[in-house]
PDB file of all heavy atoms in Angstrom:
ATOM      1  N   TYR A 681       3.973  39.585  58.050  1.00  0.00           N
ATOM      2  CA  TYR A 681       2.890  39.781  59.011  1.00  0.00           C
ATOM      3  C   TYR A 681       3.420  40.018  60.425  1.00  0.00           C
ATOM      4  O   TYR A 681       2.670  40.400  61.311  1.00  0.00           O
ATOM      5  CB  TYR A 681       1.972  38.562  59.028  1.00  0.00           C
ATOM      6  CG  TYR A 681       1.254  38.317  57.715  1.00  0.00           C
ATOM      7  CD1 TYR A 681       1.713  37.366  56.819  1.00  0.00           C
ATOM      8  CD2 TYR A 681       0.124  39.044  57.372  1.00  0.00           C
ATOM      9  CE1 TYR A 681       1.056  37.125  55.618  1.00  0.00           C
ATOM     10  CE2 TYR A 681      -0.533  38.819  56.176  1.00  0.00           C
ATOM     11  CZ  TYR A 681      -0.063  37.852  55.299  1.00  0.00           C
ATOM     12  OH  TYR A 681      -0.722  37.628  54.116  1.00  0.00           O
ATOM     13  N   ARG A 682       4.699  39.757  60.658  1.00  0.00           N
ATOM     14  CA  ARG A 682       5.257  39.821  62.011  1.00  0.00           C
ATOM     15  C   ARG A 682       5.965  41.148  62.232  1.00  0.00           C
ATOM     16  O   ARG A 682       7.130  41.199  62.622  1.00  0.00           O
ATOM     17  CB  ARG A 682       6.238  38.674  62.221  1.00  0.00           C
ATOM     18  CG  ARG A 682       5.620  37.309  61.984  1.00  0.00           C
ATOM     19  CD  ARG A 682       6.685  36.236  61.960  1.00  0.00           C
ATOM     20  NE  ARG A 682       6.108  34.921  61.673  1.00  0.00           N
ATOM     21  CZ  ARG A 682       6.827  33.843  61.403  1.00  0.00           C
ATOM     22  NH1 ARG A 682       8.140  33.922  61.384  1.00  0.00           N
ATOM     23  NH2 ARG A 682       6.240  32.693  61.148  1.00  0.00           N
ATOM     24  N   SER A 683       5.273  42.229  61.931  1.00  0.00           N
ATOM     25  CA  SER A 683       5.917  43.533  62.038  1.00  0.00           C
ATOM     26  C   SER A 683       6.233  43.913  63.476  1.00  0.00           C
ATOM     27  O   SER A 683       7.143  44.693  63.734  1.00  0.00           O
ATOM     28  CB  SER A 683       5.034  44.606  61.414  1.00  0.00           C
ATOM     29  OG  SER A 683       3.774  44.644  62.066  1.00  0.00           O
ATOM     30  N   SER A 684       5.488  43.351  64.432  1.00  0.00           N
ATOM     31  CA  SER A 684       5.732  43.730  65.820  1.00  0.00           C
ATOM     32  C   SER A 684       7.044  43.146  66.322  1.00  0.00           C
ATOM     33  O   SER A 684       7.791  43.802  67.029  1.00  0.00           O
ATOM     34  CB  SER A 684       4.568  43.251  66.701  1.00  0.00           C
ATOM     35  OG  SER A 684       4.428  41.839  66.583  1.00  0.00           O
ATOM     36  N   ASP A 685       7.317  41.910  65.984  1.00  0.00           N
ATOM     37  CA  ASP A 685       8.569  41.284  66.394  1.00  0.00           C
ATOM     38  C   ASP A 685       9.030  40.422  65.231  1.00  0.00           C
ATOM     39  O   ASP A 685       8.623  39.271  65.092  1.00  0.00           O
ATOM     40  CB  ASP A 685       8.360  40.444  67.660  1.00  0.00           C
ATOM     41  CG  ASP A 685       9.691  39.932  68.199  1.00  0.00           C
ATOM     42  OD1 ASP A 685      10.719  40.171  67.536  1.00  0.00           O
ATOM     43  OD2 ASP A 685       9.682  39.299  69.265  1.00  0.00           O
ATOM     44  N   LEU A 686       9.848  41.005  64.395  1.00  0.00           N
ATOM     45  CA  LEU A 686      10.180  40.383  63.126  1.00  0.00           C
ATOM     46  C   LEU A 686      10.824  39.017  63.292  1.00  0.00           C
ATOM     47  O   LEU A 686      10.557  38.096  62.539  1.00  0.00           O
ATOM     48  CB  LEU A 686      11.106  41.297  62.334  1.00  0.00           C
ATOM     49  CG  LEU A 686      11.575  40.733  60.990  1.00  0.00           C
ATOM     50  CD1 LEU A 686      10.391  40.604  60.051  1.00  0.00           C
ATOM     51  CD2 LEU A 686      12.649  41.619  60.401  1.00  0.00           C
ATOM     52  N   TYR A 687      11.691  38.865  64.294  1.00  0.00           N
ATOM     53  CA  TYR A 687      12.484  37.642  64.376  1.00  0.00           C
ATOM     54  C   TYR A 687      11.948  36.639  65.381  1.00  0.00           C
ATOM     55  O   TYR A 687      12.624  35.702  65.756  1.00  0.00           O
ATOM     56  CB  TYR A 687      13.938  38.007  64.719  1.00  0.00           C
ATOM     57  CG  TYR A 687      14.519  38.878  63.650  1.00  0.00           C
ATOM     58  CD1 TYR A 687      14.721  40.224  63.869  1.00  0.00           C
ATOM     59  CD2 TYR A 687      14.806  38.351  62.397  1.00  0.00           C
ATOM     60  CE1 TYR A 687      15.226  41.035  62.882  1.00  0.00           C
ATOM     61  CE2 TYR A 687      15.316  39.147  61.399  1.00  0.00           C
ATOM     62  CZ  TYR A 687      15.526  40.493  61.640  1.00  0.00           C
ATOM     63  OH  TYR A 687      16.022  41.286  60.653  1.00  0.00           O
ATOM     64  N   GLN A 688      10.741  36.868  65.849  1.00  0.00           N
ATOM     65  CA  GLN A 688      10.157  35.889  66.759  1.00  0.00           C
ATOM     66  C   GLN A 688       9.741  34.672  65.978  1.00  0.00           C
ATOM     67  O   GLN A 688       9.071  34.760  64.962  1.00  0.00           O
ATOM     68  CB  GLN A 688       8.948  36.486  67.489  1.00  0.00           C
ATOM     69  CG  GLN A 688       8.318  35.506  68.464  1.00  0.00           C
ATOM     70  CD  GLN A 688       7.134  36.133  69.176  1.00  0.00           C
ATOM     71  OE1 GLN A 688       6.824  37.289  68.953  1.00  0.00           O
ATOM     72  NE2 GLN A 688       6.491  35.373  70.034  1.00  0.00           N
ATOM     73  N   ARG A 689      10.163  33.516  66.397  1.00  0.00           N
ATOM     74  CA  ARG A 689       9.847  32.263  65.713  1.00  0.00           C
ATOM     75  C   ARG A 689       9.098  31.344  66.672  1.00  0.00           C
ATOM     76  O   ARG A 689       9.628  30.952  67.703  1.00  0.00           O
ATOM     77  CB  ARG A 689      11.123  31.551  65.236  1.00  0.00           C
ATOM     78  CG  ARG A 689      11.922  32.363  64.240  1.00  0.00           C
ATOM     79  CD  ARG A 689      11.231  32.401  62.893  1.00  0.00           C
ATOM     80  NE  ARG A 689      12.074  32.969  61.889  1.00  0.00           N
ATOM     81  CZ  ARG A 689      12.083  34.242  61.547  1.00  0.00           C
ATOM     82  NH1 ARG A 689      11.284  35.088  62.167  1.00  0.00           N
ATOM     83  NH2 ARG A 689      12.898  34.683  60.621  1.00  0.00           N
ATOM     84  N   GLN A 690       7.883  31.020  66.379  1.00  0.00           N
ATOM     85  CA  GLN A 690       7.125  30.091  67.186  1.00  0.00           C
ATOM     86  C   GLN A 690       7.473  28.666  66.768  1.00  0.00           C
ATOM     87  O   GLN A 690       7.696  28.395  65.599  1.00  0.00           O
ATOM     88  CB  GLN A 690       5.633  30.345  67.003  1.00  0.00           C
ATOM     89  CG  GLN A 690       5.196  31.730  67.451  1.00  0.00           C
ATOM     90  CD  GLN A 690       5.443  31.956  68.922  1.00  0.00           C
ATOM     91  OE1 GLN A 690       5.379  31.017  69.711  1.00  0.00           O
ATOM     92  NE2 GLN A 690       5.716  33.204  69.302  1.00  0.00           N
ATOM     93  N   PRO A 691       7.507  27.749  67.722  1.00  0.00           N
ATOM     94  CA  PRO A 691       7.826  26.357  67.373  1.00  0.00           C
ATOM     95  C   PRO A 691       6.784  25.794  66.400  1.00  0.00           C
ATOM     96  O   PRO A 691       5.589  26.036  66.543  1.00  0.00           O
ATOM     97  CB  PRO A 691       7.792  25.634  68.726  1.00  0.00           C
ATOM     98  CG  PRO A 691       8.002  26.716  69.737  1.00  0.00           C
ATOM     99  CD  PRO A 691       7.365  27.939  69.165  1.00  0.00           C
ATOM    100  N   ARG A 692       7.252  25.049  65.445  1.00  0.00           N
ATOM    101  CA  ARG A 692       6.371  24.432  64.453  1.00  0.00           C
ATOM    102  C   ARG A 692       6.761  22.975  64.297  1.00  0.00           C
ATOM    103  O   ARG A 692       7.900  22.593  64.493  1.00  0.00           O
ATOM    104  CB  ARG A 692       6.479  25.125  63.090  1.00  0.00           C
ATOM    105  CG  ARG A 692       5.976  26.550  63.080  1.00  0.00           C
ATOM    106  CD  ARG A 692       6.269  27.186  61.730  1.00  0.00           C
ATOM    107  NE  ARG A 692       5.785  28.559  61.677  1.00  0.00           N
ATOM    108  CZ  ARG A 692       4.582  28.901  61.250  1.00  0.00           C
ATOM    109  NH1 ARG A 692       3.728  27.975  60.863  1.00  0.00           N
ATOM    110  NH2 ARG A 692       4.232  30.173  61.218  1.00  0.00           N
ATOM    111  N   SER A 693       5.799  22.203  63.917  1.00  0.00           N
ATOM    112  CA  SER A 693       6.074  20.801  63.632  1.00  0.00           C
ATOM    113  C   SER A 693       6.601  20.670  62.218  1.00  0.00           C
ATOM    114  O   SER A 693       6.122  21.330  61.301  1.00  0.00           O
ATOM    115  CB  SER A 693       4.794  19.961  63.787  1.00  0.00           C
ATOM    116  OG  SER A 693       4.322  20.063  65.103  1.00  0.00           O
ATOM    117  N   PRO A 694       7.557  19.789  62.043  1.00  0.00           N
ATOM    118  CA  PRO A 694       8.073  19.605  60.683  1.00  0.00           C
ATOM    119  C   PRO A 694       7.064  18.884  59.822  1.00  0.00           C
ATOM    120  O   PRO A 694       6.150  18.226  60.311  1.00  0.00           O
ATOM    121  CB  PRO A 694       9.330  18.754  60.898  1.00  0.00           C
ATOM    122  CG  PRO A 694       9.058  18.007  62.168  1.00  0.00           C
ATOM    123  CD  PRO A 694       8.230  18.926  63.022  1.00  0.00           C
ATOM    124  N   ARG A 695       7.250  19.032  58.500  1.00  0.00           N
ATOM    125  CA  ARG A 695       6.379  18.302  57.580  1.00  0.00           C
ATOM    126  C   ARG A 695       6.647  16.816  57.688  1.00  0.00           C
ATOM    127  O   ARG A 695       7.763  16.366  57.895  1.00  0.00           O
ATOM    128  CB  ARG A 695       6.632  18.754  56.141  1.00  0.00           C
ATOM    129  CG  ARG A 695       6.047  20.103  55.826  1.00  0.00           C
ATOM    130  CD  ARG A 695       6.215  20.391  54.351  1.00  0.00           C
ATOM    131  NE  ARG A 695       5.574  21.638  53.988  1.00  0.00           N
ATOM    132  CZ  ARG A 695       5.606  22.148  52.767  1.00  0.00           C
ATOM    133  NH1 ARG A 695       6.224  21.512  51.807  1.00  0.00           N
ATOM    134  NH2 ARG A 695       5.004  23.286  52.499  1.00  0.00           N
ATOM    135  N   LYS A 696       5.592  16.061  57.525  1.00  0.00           N
ATOM    136  CA  LYS A 696       5.750  14.613  57.571  1.00  0.00           C
ATOM    137  C   LYS A 696       6.507  14.107  56.356  1.00  0.00           C
ATOM    138  O   LYS A 696       7.345  13.250  56.443  1.00  0.00           O
ATOM    139  CB  LYS A 696       4.379  13.946  57.662  1.00  0.00           C
ATOM    140  CG  LYS A 696       3.634  14.274  58.948  1.00  0.00           C
ATOM    141  CD  LYS A 696       2.294  13.566  58.980  1.00  0.00           C
ATOM    142  CE  LYS A 696       1.536  13.880  60.252  1.00  0.00           C
ATOM    143  NZ  LYS A 696       0.216  13.217  60.304  1.00  0.00           N
ATOM    144  N   ASN A 697       6.154  14.628  55.211  1.00  0.00           N
ATOM    145  CA  ASN A 697       6.803  14.191  53.972  1.00  0.00           C
ATOM    146  C   ASN A 697       7.268  15.417  53.211  1.00  0.00           C
ATOM    147  O   ASN A 697       6.455  16.225  52.788  1.00  0.00           O
ATOM    148  CB  ASN A 697       5.839  13.377  53.098  1.00  0.00           C
ATOM    149  CG  ASN A 697       5.440  12.079  53.764  1.00  0.00           C
ATOM    150  OD1 ASN A 697       6.278  11.393  54.321  1.00  0.00           O
ATOM    151  ND2 ASN A 697       4.149  11.780  53.720  1.00  0.00           N
ATOM    152  N   LYS A 698       8.532  15.548  53.094  1.00  0.00           N
ATOM    153  CA  LYS A 698       9.085  16.651  52.307  1.00  0.00           C
ATOM    154  C   LYS A 698       9.287  16.162  50.885  1.00  0.00           C
ATOM    155  O   LYS A 698      10.135  15.321  50.622  1.00  0.00           O
ATOM    156  CB  LYS A 698      10.402  17.106  52.916  1.00  0.00           C
ATOM    157  CG  LYS A 698      11.026  18.296  52.189  1.00  0.00           C
ATOM    158  CD  LYS A 698      12.295  18.716  52.878  1.00  0.00           C
ATOM    159  CE  LYS A 698      12.937  19.870  52.134  1.00  0.00           C
ATOM    160  NZ  LYS A 698      14.184  20.313  52.762  1.00  0.00           N
ATOM    161  N   GLN A 699       8.466  16.662  50.012  1.00  0.00           N
ATOM    162  CA  GLN A 699       8.476  16.169  48.648  1.00  0.00           C
ATOM    163  C   GLN A 699       8.878  17.290  47.711  1.00  0.00           C
ATOM    164  O   GLN A 699       8.660  18.451  47.966  1.00  0.00           O
ATOM    165  CB  GLN A 699       7.094  15.647  48.243  1.00  0.00           C
ATOM    166  CG  GLN A 699       6.646  14.482  49.106  1.00  0.00           C
ATOM    167  CD  GLN A 699       5.244  14.063  48.723  1.00  0.00           C
ATOM    168  OE1 GLN A 699       4.572  14.758  47.986  1.00  0.00           O
ATOM    169  NE2 GLN A 699       4.817  12.946  49.221  1.00  0.00           N
ATOM    170  N   PHE A 700       9.432  16.858  46.624  1.00  0.00           N
ATOM    171  CA  PHE A 700       9.774  17.809  45.557  1.00  0.00           C
ATOM    172  C   PHE A 700       9.249  17.244  44.252  1.00  0.00           C
ATOM    173  O   PHE A 700       9.784  16.282  43.716  1.00  0.00           O
ATOM    174  CB  PHE A 700      11.284  18.014  45.472  1.00  0.00           C
ATOM    175  CG  PHE A 700      11.684  18.932  44.378  1.00  0.00           C
ATOM    176  CD1 PHE A 700      11.467  20.293  44.493  1.00  0.00           C
ATOM    177  CD2 PHE A 700      12.259  18.453  43.211  1.00  0.00           C
ATOM    178  CE1 PHE A 700      11.832  21.139  43.475  1.00  0.00           C
ATOM    179  CE2 PHE A 700      12.626  19.301  42.198  1.00  0.00           C
ATOM    180  CZ  PHE A 700      12.423  20.646  42.327  1.00  0.00           C
ATOM    181  N   ILE A 701       8.166  17.833  43.777  1.00  0.00           N
ATOM    182  CA  ILE A 701       7.541  17.356  42.544  1.00  0.00           C
ATOM    183  C   ILE A 701       8.091  18.187  41.397  1.00  0.00           C
ATOM    184  O   ILE A 701       7.667  19.311  41.166  1.00  0.00           O
ATOM    185  CB  ILE A 701       6.022  17.462  42.632  1.00  0.00           C
ATOM    186  CG1 ILE A 701       5.541  16.751  43.893  1.00  0.00           C
ATOM    187  CG2 ILE A 701       5.359  16.862  41.403  1.00  0.00           C
ATOM    188  CD1 ILE A 701       4.074  16.955  44.162  1.00  0.00           C
TER     189      ILE A 701
END
Side-chain angles (χ1 to χ4, degrees):
Y681 296 100
R682 303 170 182 170
S683 59
S684 58
D685 187 356
L686 178 66
Y687 299 106
Q688 181 179 358
R689 299 287 190 267
Q690 298 298 328
R692 294 174 179 269
S693 299
R695 285 186 176 178
K696 296 181 180 179
N697 295 316
K698 182 178 178 180
Q699 298 176 349
F700 178 74
I701 307 172

